[in-house]
């Protein structure tokens, strides 16, 4: 074997080690790239961000490897980098997963290695998301013709509120004051049509309202995201004082199990099918539908119970469907009525049925009975 073959073999063995066999940054399995500056093994997508940071990226399969670089990788690796760069990640700080959007991935990598926010060095003033108070301008989608307009947002952990103002003048009453208790926040770049698009949802009475915002700076929008997560975490700590971090962290923010368009008919099933935007919230056991994708408030929320309580869902074409464009049918039984939906594509039909079945298979928790009672009628 020549040197090159030996080096490749050493790398193949290195990347099989327990800490190296997942991307150092997003956890994706079997990374095939390495940062020769930091000595970490990363996935293809994270390697793109590292290339922008330091440029010293190599494929462990395709590239030529010098002996001393192989030695360097061997004496570093993901475990050692983690000890150094993830020494002090706040428990509420969001660590991106392999399928997360680009801005979360890029800012996590930059925060870690470029700005060294978690290395436990105190060379920075307190970071935006650590202070319990954050304010700034965000572009917010307005009611009229969907234009995005600059609005001032203020997050206060002491008050557990997020407020926004239409004018920069804060002496005027805020346009909305949202309690942190009722708040969810999630990145929605595709829906909003901007790489840094963030959706903020909250409850008004029993209705969900959505705000759509973005900021031109990726760092700024991710700071907002984590500042809101910090406030949510602080709130959960006071609401559930005995809850462990492990129990509370998954409740800080959550993504919907499935979202998308389906056609629906009315209760008699003789009504014309109409296209609606559906959201399945697995945590709250709710199927919500909206007239339009970016609507602030849903038309209706349907409680999703368990199979043993008479809920079911199957792929089936409702009889006598009228006014439908789409063909792939779903029939769902709830306690009150039968719902008929139509999907545009067969895969979507399958995904919706699977997602709904997943919720129906989950045992009901005490708070679910309250949700069910609130959604009746
Ligand atoms: C790298 O930088 C370029 C230029 O700024 C940018 O267009 C690209 O999206 C960046 N790639 C990643 C993966 O961040
Ligand atoms: C957001 O999530 C929390 C915790 O999971 C939940 O209690 C709350 O009702 C949710 N809010 C909305 C608007 O969906
Ligand atoms: Zn990765």
């Amino acid at each position: 074997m020549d040197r090159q073959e030996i080096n490749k073999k050493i790398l193949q063995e290195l990347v099989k080690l327990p800490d190296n066999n997942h991307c150092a940054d997003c956890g994706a399995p079997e990374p095939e790239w390495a940062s020769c500056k930091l000595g970490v093994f990363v996935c293809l997508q994270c390697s793109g961000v590292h290339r922008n940071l330091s440029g010293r990226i190599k494929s462990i399969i395709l590239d030529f490897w010098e002996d001393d670089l192989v030695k360097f990788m061997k004496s570093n690796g993901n475990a050692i980098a983690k000890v150094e760069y993830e020494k002090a990640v706040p428990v509420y700080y969001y660590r991106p997963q392999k399928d997360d959007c680009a801005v979360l991935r890029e800012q996590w990598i930059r925060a870690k290695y470029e700005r060294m926010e978690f290395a436990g060095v105190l060379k920075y003033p307190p970071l935006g998301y650590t202070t319990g108070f954050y304010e700034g301008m965000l572009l917010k989608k307005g009611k009229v013709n969907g234009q995005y307009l600059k609005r001032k947002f203020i997050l206060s952990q002491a008050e557990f509120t997020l407020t926004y103002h239409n004018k920069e003048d804060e002496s005027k009453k805020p346009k909305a004051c949202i309690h942190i208790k009722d708040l969810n926040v999630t990145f929605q770049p595709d829906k909003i049509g901007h790489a840094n698009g963030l959706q903020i949802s909250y409850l008004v009475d029993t209705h969900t309202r959505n705000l759509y915002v973005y900021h031109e700076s990726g760092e700024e929008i991710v700071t907002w995201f984590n500042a809101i997560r910090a406030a949510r975490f602080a709130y959960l700590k006071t609401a559930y004082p005995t809850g462990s971090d492990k129990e509370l962290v998954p409740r800080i923010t959550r993504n919907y199990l499935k979202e998308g368009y389906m056609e629906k008919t009315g209760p008699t099933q003789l009504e014309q099918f109409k296209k609606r935007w559906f959201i399945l919230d697995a945590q709250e056991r709710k199927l919500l539908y909206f007239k339009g994708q970016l609507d602030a408030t849903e038309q209706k929320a349907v409680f999703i119970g368990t199979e043993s309580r008479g809920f079911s869902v199957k792929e089936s074409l409702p009889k006598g469907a009228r006014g439908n464009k789409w063909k792939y049918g779903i029939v769902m039984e709830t306690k009150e009525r039968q719902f008929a939906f139509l999907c545009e594509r067969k895969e979507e039909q399958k995904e919706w049925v699977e997602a709904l079945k997943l919720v129906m298979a989950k045992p009901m928790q005490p708070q679910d009975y309250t949700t069910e009672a609130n959604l009746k009628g």
Side-chain angles (χ1 to χ4, degrees):
M1 257 199 283
D2 70 5
R3 275 313 306 168
Q4 207 29 229
E5 276 175 63
I6 294 169
N7 281 346
K8 283 279 161 72
K9 221 168 147 75
I10 297 172
L11 286 167
Q12 295 299 336
E13 292 304 314
L14 270 181
V15 82
K16 283 199 194 108
L17 295 176
D19 289 298
N20 294 340
N21 71 2
H22 285 89
C23 171
D25 298 316
C26 75
E30 290 164 25
E32 293 186 348
W33 296 81
S35 160
C36 304
K37 176 159 182 275
L38 298 160
V40 291
F41 295 94
V42 294
C43 72
L44 173 66
Q45 281 176 295
C46 292
S47 78
V49 183
H50 282 281
R51 183 170 283 119
N52 278 359
L53 250 67
S54 72
R56 302 184 58 197
I57 291 296
K58 271 182 188 287
S59 160
I60 60 172
I61 295 165
L62 305 171
D63 284 325
F64 178 87
W65 281 81
E66 294 84 357
D67 294 356
D68 50 351
L69 273 186
V70 174
K71 257 197 215 125
F72 176 76
M73 292 307 295
K74 197 169 176 179
S75 57
N76 285 277
N78 293 4
I80 286 175
K82 199 179 169 109
V83 171
E84 180 175 354
Y85 294 103
E86 295 183 28
K87 194 176 287 157
V89 186
V91 58
Y92 55 76
Y93 195 95
Y94 186 76
R95 295 161 178 262
Q97 310 287 302
K98 69 177 172 56
D99 298 319
D100 274 319
C101 62
V103 66
L104 274 172
R105 183 191 305 272
E106 181 185 354
Q107 289 305 318
W108 165 237
I109 294 171
R110 288 188 183 275
K112 234 165 101 171
Y113 307 105
E114 191 177 52
R115 302 195 292 269
M116 291 181 69
E117 291 180 13
F118 319 119
V121 282
L122 289 171
K123 64 174 183 180
Y124 296 100
L127 295 155
Y129 51 83
T130 63
T131 53
F133 185 88
Y134 202 64
E135 63 176 1
M137 306 299 279
L138 292 172
L139 284 142
K140 176 190 163 293
K141 183 172 180 280
K143 279 211 186 70
V144 194
N145 67 35
Q147 245 188 336
Y148 282 81
L149 302 164
K150 264 197 180 152
R151 295 290 178 248
K152 179 155 192 178
F153 281 76
I154 302 169
L155 175 74
S156 162
Q157 195 165 301
E159 315 258 318
F160 286 136
T161 54
L162 176 69
T163 50
Y164 77 87
H165 295 260
N166 266 0
K167 298 267 151 31
E168 265 204 73
D169 176 11
E170 275 172 57
S171 57
K172 291 257 168 58
K173 231 173 74 103
K175 194 80 177 65
C177 181
I178 306 163
H179 197 286
I180 293 295
K181 169 167 79 67
D182 301 319
L183 185 72
N184 282 308
V185 57
T186 170
F187 276 94
Q188 291 279 13
D190 296 338
K191 199 164 159 183
I192 293 169
H194 192 283
N196 301 339
L198 194 67
Q199 173 177 332
I200 300 171
S201 321
Y202 59 102
L203 286 178
V204 178
D205 304 322
T206 54
H207 286 288
T208 308
R209 282 189 63 87
N210 294 318
L211 301 179
Y212 300 96
V213 299
Y214 70 88
H215 194 286
E216 286 303 342
S217 150
E219 184 180 346
E220 186 65 21
I221 201 75
V222 173
T223 297
W224 268 106
F225 181 67
N226 281 300
I228 293 172
R229 284 182 56 90
R232 281 274 304 158
F233 185 65
Y235 165 75
L236 290 169
K237 281 274 190 197
T238 63
Y240 310 95
T242 58
S244 65
D245 288 358
K246 203 167 154 253
E247 286 167 319
L248 298 182
V249 167
R251 304 181 59 172
I252 298 179
T253 50
R254 53 112 188 71
N255 288 314
Y256 298 120
L257 191 56
K258 183 150 176 66
E259 281 186 275
Y261 280 113
M262 289 195 285
E263 290 183 328
K264 72 168 285 294
T265 177
T268 69
Q269 299 198 357
L270 297 170
E271 295 87 348
Q272 292 245 325
F273 273 84
K274 288 184 182 130
K275 188 170 148 187
R276 294 288 179 258
W277 182 258
F278 283 81
I279 289 178
L280 180 60
D281 182 341
Q283 205 164 322
E284 295 283 306
R285 306 194 78 113
K286 282 188 214 170
L287 181 67
L288 307 162
Y289 57 85
F290 300 78
K291 205 159 179 193
Q293 190 183 0
L294 296 182
D295 278 8
T297 307
E298 79 268 14
Q299 287 188 309
K300 196 173 161 66
V302 182
F303 181 78
I304 307 294
T306 58
E307 268 156 24
S308 60
R309 289 169 66 81
F311 289 78
S312 70
V313 61
K314 61 173 192 280
E315 292 175 15
S316 165
L317 195 67
K319 281 190 204 77
R322 286 192 331 123
N324 54 309
K325 282 208 216 71
W326 294 341
K327 291 193 181 57
Y328 300 99
I330 295 172
V331 171
M332 178 175 87
E333 302 283 350
T334 70
K335 267 186 167 167
E336 273 91 39
R337 61 174 268 203
Q338 187 184 69
F339 285 89
F341 308 126
L342 292 164
C343 302
E344 188 176 17
R345 292 180 301 119
K346 187 147 183 56
E347 305 88 81
E348 285 171 352
Q349 175 196 38
K350 199 168 147 244
E351 283 167 17
W352 274 110
V353 169
E354 273 170 15
L356 286 161
K357 277 198 169 146
L358 211 67
V359 179
M360 289 176 188
K362 263 199 335 183
M364 298 255 293
Q365 301 297 315
Q367 71 270 19
D368 295 333
Y369 294 94
T370 319
T371 313
E372 181 172 28
N374 287 341
L375 288 182
K376 261 208 193 109

